[in-house]
Amino acid sequence: MKNTVMAFLLGGLSGYIITVMTTDGPQPKLNNIPAMGQLAAQLEQLEQDNENLQAQLDNATQKIAQTRSNAAQIARQDTKELPEIETLEPVYEVSQSPAPVTYAQTVKAIEMYQVLPVAKRLESQLNLDENTASKLQTLLLEKAQRDYQVWLNNQPDASQQPVDMQRLTELFNENSHNYAQSVREILTDEQLATYVRTERQQAEVLAQQKLMHLQDSLTKVNLDEYQQQEISRLANQLYHTDNINIGSMGSPYGVGSISINSEKLEAIKSVLTEEQLQSLML
């Protein structure tokens, strides 16, 4: 499965976020619709998540194929040992590449490797009863599937038309809003507050990972002393976790909880050469 996305200048690490471009002004409140630059910074992360999910599915497919091949070899060996059979027809094995990953397989992988671990974590941290935990898991899976469907439906078509970023943002925010509304109906105020804190903690970890990735990437573009000092000063102010969206954990697509300060980003770009910008995919 080939997924086409826009590349983020510094690459992404593991996470399920689409970043929000911000300025030094007041930070957006929970569930506010993000700015137009929201999707540009983390679409590469979605491609990486897709590749990871496909790799897991391909690996499982190969294991199944190998198991079937081994079983067939054992069966043929047993047949050869039967005394009443003097000759056997030759068996030719055709090497086949794994079948393309289907939509249903991708959704199943998202459920197994993204939704279920998060659902179990929330069940414990929010101290949910069995019924509420089941409802929350269902809502989280439905959101993750809707986010994936939105992303899939808005990829460039054969005519190579660009992604409609505004429409994509609107649909992702609609999914987030509907999820938040549904969650409020099954959680207490205390549980909801704990959910927000859990999302914030996850976002802070991912922000630190992205900062480390940025620093690692910059070591490979031969910065001079001035560039190192300026970028080091600016980079610490680049990522923020002020806009928390519950449902970011468990969904590899959609609106996330990490913001990028657009002014600091432009300042970083201004101290880099054209060659360095190209190397960093700016």
Side-chain angles (χ1 to χ4, degrees), residues 4 43 46-47 75 102-103 113 122 132 136 140 168 181 187-188 195 207 234-237 242 246 256 267:
T4 305
L43 282 178
L46 303 185
E47 181 181 51
T102 66
Y103 172 84
Y113 300 110
L122 291 173
T132 305
L136 183 60
L140 192 58
L168 193 58
Q181 290 282 81
L187 298 183
T188 65
Y195 194 168
L234 295 166
N236 290 327
Q237 307 170 52
D242 301 297
I246 58 172

Short mmCIF file of all heavy atoms in Angstrom, two decimals, residues 4 43 46-47 75 102-103 113 122 132 136 140 168 181 187-188 195 207 234-237 242 246 256 267:
data_model
loop_
_atom_site.label_atom_id
_atom_site.label_comp_id
_atom_site.label_asym_id
_atom_site.label_seq_id
_atom_site.Cartn_x
_atom_site.Cartn_y
_atom_site.Cartn_z
N THR A 4 0.87 8.61 0.06
CA THR A 4 1.62 9.80 -0.32
C THR A 4 1.30 10.91 0.66
O THR A 4 0.16 11.25 0.84
CB THR A 4 1.23 10.25 -1.73
OG1 THR A 4 1.41 9.16 -2.60
CG2 THR A 4 2.08 11.43 -2.16
N LEU A 43 2.50 15.30 8.83
CA LEU A 43 1.98 14.33 7.87
C LEU A 43 2.99 13.23 7.59
O LEU A 43 2.61 12.10 7.29
CB LEU A 43 1.59 15.05 6.56
CG LEU A 43 0.26 15.79 6.63
CD1 LEU A 43 -0.02 16.50 5.31
CD2 LEU A 43 -0.88 14.87 6.95
N LEU A 46 2.43 10.35 9.85
CA LEU A 46 1.35 9.45 9.44
C LEU A 46 1.85 8.42 8.45
O LEU A 46 1.48 7.25 8.51
CB LEU A 46 0.20 10.26 8.82
CG LEU A 46 -0.39 11.35 9.71
CD1 LEU A 46 -1.59 11.97 9.03
CD2 LEU A 46 -0.78 10.78 11.05
N GLU A 47 2.69 8.86 7.53
CA GLU A 47 3.27 7.92 6.56
C GLU A 47 4.10 6.87 7.28
O GLU A 47 4.03 5.67 6.96
CB GLU A 47 4.13 8.66 5.54
CG GLU A 47 4.72 7.70 4.50
CD GLU A 47 5.60 8.42 3.49
OE1 GLU A 47 6.50 9.17 3.93
OE2 GLU A 47 5.40 8.21 2.29
N ALA A 75 4.04 -32.76 5.05
CA ALA A 75 3.04 -33.65 4.44
C ALA A 75 3.64 -34.43 3.28
O ALA A 75 3.39 -35.62 3.11
CB ALA A 75 1.84 -32.83 3.98
N THR A 102 -5.00 -4.74 2.99
CA THR A 102 -6.33 -4.20 2.73
C THR A 102 -6.71 -3.16 3.78
O THR A 102 -6.06 -3.03 4.82
CB THR A 102 -7.38 -5.32 2.72
OG1 THR A 102 -7.47 -5.87 4.06
CG2 THR A 102 -7.00 -6.42 1.75
N TYR A 103 -7.79 -2.46 3.49
CA TYR A 103 -8.33 -1.48 4.45
C TYR A 103 -8.67 -2.16 5.77
O TYR A 103 -8.32 -1.67 6.85
CB TYR A 103 -9.56 -0.81 3.85
CG TYR A 103 -10.31 0.08 4.82
CD1 TYR A 103 -9.91 1.40 5.02
CD2 TYR A 103 -11.42 -0.40 5.52
CE1 TYR A 103 -10.60 2.22 5.91
CE2 TYR A 103 -12.09 0.41 6.41
CZ TYR A 103 -11.69 1.72 6.60
OH TYR A 103 -12.36 2.52 7.49
N TYR A 113 -2.55 -2.60 17.75
CA TYR A 113 -1.28 -2.01 18.15
C TYR A 113 -1.40 -0.58 18.66
O TYR A 113 -0.44 -0.05 19.23
CB TYR A 113 -0.29 -2.04 16.99
CG TYR A 113 -0.01 -3.44 16.51
CD1 TYR A 113 -0.48 -3.88 15.27
CD2 TYR A 113 0.70 -4.34 17.29
CE1 TYR A 113 -0.23 -5.18 14.83
CE2 TYR A 113 0.95 -5.63 16.87
CZ TYR A 113 0.48 -6.05 15.63
OH TYR A 113 0.73 -7.33 15.20
N LEU A 122 -5.95 3.57 29.87
CA LEU A 122 -6.97 4.48 30.37
C LEU A 122 -7.88 3.78 31.39
O LEU A 122 -8.31 4.40 32.37
CB LEU A 122 -7.80 5.02 29.22
CG LEU A 122 -7.07 5.98 28.27
CD1 LEU A 122 -7.96 6.32 27.08
CD2 LEU A 122 -6.66 7.25 29.00
N THR A 132 -17.91 0.81 31.48
CA THR A 132 -17.41 2.09 30.98
C THR A 132 -16.15 1.89 30.16
O THR A 132 -15.96 2.55 29.13
CB THR A 132 -17.13 3.05 32.15
OG1 THR A 132 -18.31 3.20 32.95
CG2 THR A 132 -16.68 4.41 31.64
N LEU A 136 -15.60 3.11 26.31
CA LEU A 136 -14.51 4.01 25.94
C LEU A 136 -13.65 3.38 24.85
O LEU A 136 -13.25 4.07 23.90
CB LEU A 136 -13.65 4.33 27.16
CG LEU A 136 -12.51 5.33 26.92
CD1 LEU A 136 -13.05 6.66 26.43
CD2 LEU A 136 -11.68 5.51 28.18
N LEU A 140 -13.03 4.97 21.16
CA LEU A 140 -11.67 5.25 20.71
C LEU A 140 -11.38 4.55 19.38
O LEU A 140 -10.76 5.13 18.48
CB LEU A 140 -10.67 4.80 21.77
CG LEU A 140 -9.22 5.27 21.60
CD1 LEU A 140 -9.14 6.78 21.57
CD2 LEU A 140 -8.35 4.72 22.72
N LEU A 168 -9.36 18.87 5.17
CA LEU A 168 -8.81 17.82 6.02
C LEU A 168 -8.82 18.24 7.48
O LEU A 168 -9.19 17.46 8.37
CB LEU A 168 -7.38 17.50 5.56
CG LEU A 168 -6.73 16.23 6.10
CD1 LEU A 168 -7.54 14.99 5.77
CD2 LEU A 168 -5.32 16.09 5.55
N GLN A 181 -17.38 14.86 22.86
CA GLN A 181 -18.78 14.92 23.29
C GLN A 181 -19.25 13.56 23.82
O GLN A 181 -19.91 13.48 24.86
CB GLN A 181 -19.67 15.36 22.12
CG GLN A 181 -19.50 16.81 21.72
CD GLN A 181 -20.21 17.76 22.67
OE1 GLN A 181 -19.69 18.08 23.74
NE2 GLN A 181 -21.38 18.21 22.27
N LEU A 187 -17.97 9.54 31.16
CA LEU A 187 -16.97 9.75 32.21
C LEU A 187 -17.43 10.83 33.18
O LEU A 187 -18.15 11.76 32.81
CB LEU A 187 -15.62 10.16 31.60
CG LEU A 187 -14.93 9.18 30.66
CD1 LEU A 187 -13.59 9.75 30.21
CD2 LEU A 187 -14.75 7.82 31.29
N THR A 188 -16.97 10.71 34.41
CA THR A 188 -17.21 11.76 35.39
C THR A 188 -16.24 12.92 35.13
O THR A 188 -15.28 12.78 34.37
CB THR A 188 -16.98 11.23 36.81
OG1 THR A 188 -15.59 10.88 36.96
CG2 THR A 188 -17.83 9.99 37.08
N TYR A 195 -8.06 12.01 32.24
CA TYR A 195 -7.84 11.70 30.82
C TYR A 195 -7.01 12.81 30.17
O TYR A 195 -6.05 12.55 29.45
CB TYR A 195 -9.19 11.55 30.13
CG TYR A 195 -9.16 10.90 28.76
CD1 TYR A 195 -10.34 10.50 28.14
CD2 TYR A 195 -7.97 10.70 28.06
CE1 TYR A 195 -10.35 9.90 26.89
CE2 TYR A 195 -7.96 10.11 26.81
CZ TYR A 195 -9.15 9.72 26.23
OH TYR A 195 -9.13 9.12 24.98
N ALA A 207 6.87 15.49 22.54
CA ALA A 207 7.55 16.75 22.24
C ALA A 207 9.04 16.65 22.52
O ALA A 207 9.87 17.15 21.76
CB ALA A 207 6.92 17.88 23.05
N LEU A 234 16.59 28.68 19.98
CA LEU A 234 15.24 28.71 19.43
C LEU A 234 14.51 27.38 19.55
O LEU A 234 13.29 27.34 19.74
CB LEU A 234 15.30 29.12 17.95
CG LEU A 234 15.79 30.54 17.67
CD1 LEU A 234 16.13 30.70 16.20
CD2 LEU A 234 14.74 31.56 18.09
N ALA A 235 15.27 26.28 19.45
CA ALA A 235 14.64 24.96 19.41
C ALA A 235 13.88 24.64 20.69
O ALA A 235 12.83 23.98 20.66
CB ALA A 235 15.70 23.89 19.15
N ASN A 236 14.39 25.12 21.83
CA ASN A 236 13.72 24.84 23.10
C ASN A 236 12.36 25.50 23.21
O ASN A 236 11.58 25.18 24.10
CB ASN A 236 14.61 25.29 24.26
CG ASN A 236 15.83 24.41 24.42
OD1 ASN A 236 15.78 23.22 24.15
ND2 ASN A 236 16.94 25.00 24.86
N GLN A 237 12.09 26.47 22.33
CA GLN A 237 10.80 27.16 22.34
C GLN A 237 9.92 26.75 21.15
O GLN A 237 8.90 27.37 20.90
CB GLN A 237 11.03 28.67 22.29
CG GLN A 237 11.97 29.19 23.37
CD GLN A 237 12.36 30.64 23.13
OE1 GLN A 237 11.50 31.50 22.96
NE2 GLN A 237 13.64 30.94 23.11
N ASP A 242 0.19 22.85 24.79
CA ASP A 242 -0.86 23.62 25.46
C ASP A 242 -2.26 23.25 24.97
O ASP A 242 -3.24 23.46 25.68
CB ASP A 242 -0.64 25.12 25.24
CG ASP A 242 0.72 25.57 25.76
OD1 ASP A 242 0.94 25.47 26.98
OD2 ASP A 242 1.55 26.00 24.94
N ILE A 246 -8.22 15.17 23.69
CA ILE A 246 -8.38 13.77 24.08
C ILE A 246 -8.74 12.96 22.85
O ILE A 246 -9.46 13.41 21.97
CB ILE A 246 -9.46 13.60 25.18
CG1 ILE A 246 -10.81 14.15 24.72
CG2 ILE A 246 -9.03 14.27 26.47
CD1 ILE A 246 -11.95 13.84 25.67
N GLY A 256 -3.67 16.37 16.90
CA GLY A 256 -2.90 15.99 18.07
C GLY A 256 -2.75 17.11 19.06
O GLY A 256 -3.44 18.12 18.99
N ALA A 267 12.41 31.51 12.32
CA ALA A 267 13.70 32.02 12.79
C ALA A 267 14.80 30.97 12.62
O ALA A 267 15.93 31.29 12.24
CB ALA A 267 13.60 32.45 14.25
#
